[in-house]
Amino acid sequence: MTQIPGAARPTLVIGRGASDAGGAASLAAARLRHAWALGPSPAPAADAAAGAEAALAGRLAAEGTPVLLLLAQAGRASHRMDLPLRVDPLPGSGGGAVLLVTVPAYASHAPQPAAAIRLIEAAARLLGGPGADRALHEDAEAWRRGADELAARDPRVAGLVREWEHRLEGELPGGDEIADGLTRLLDRA
């Protein structure tokens, strides 16, 4: 796993908009700031194009500031399985890391406490800080129960969840397949 050398408390750069599916990166950053008494994170310009967070993180790292870039993306994930998480070194820096969690595309509009937990736990491993608190774990479990209830009430959603879980256990679907599945689901509604 990527380590952030000598960085007890890096600057957090948070994904926004499409880089923060379900608000997972923002929620994780808020919890990390509270637990570790960190100040506010710098924000990319509101009108910046996609990738502004990565550009800001790269610039800060190039200036010698340790950086932890938190991102969440909608994609191939199921609320009933561990959410995929990637931890990579921040490109072009010797003291930064990118944490990227994937949330279920079929629920990426809803708050994602389980994804925030994945980001917080990865940050805690990198930095030796505290992990996610019990309240966030309770929120994640309540969200998971709600998603299960929704799938139980709506056979179309249940079918989509089963299909994606089956594919996640074997070959992963691509973005076009997910979009096609959602389009079929919406056309049947």
Side-chain angles (χ1 to χ4, degrees), residues 2-107:
T2 301
Q3 295 293 318
I4 301 179
R9 301 294 177 254
T11 295
L12 296 175
V13 177
I14 309 159
R16 307 224 190 273
S19 299
D20 192 13
S26 297
L27 178 57
R31 298 290 176 114
L32 289 169
R33 280 196 300 268
H34 174 74
W36 295 349
L38 297 176
S41 303
D47 61 348
E53 297 91 356
L56 173 61
R59 189 175 75 245
L60 289 169
E63 294 169 0
T65 303
V67 175
L68 194 56
L69 174 57
L70 305 179
L71 301 171
Q73 69 181 6
R76 299 169 282 196
S78 168
H79 73 278
R80 294 189 218 175
M81 301 172 78
D82 283 339
L83 300 177
L85 175 76
R86 282 187 42 195
V87 180
D88 295 317
L90 187 64
S93 90
V98 178
L99 306 180
L100 172 66
V101 66
T102 302
V103 303
Y106 56 84

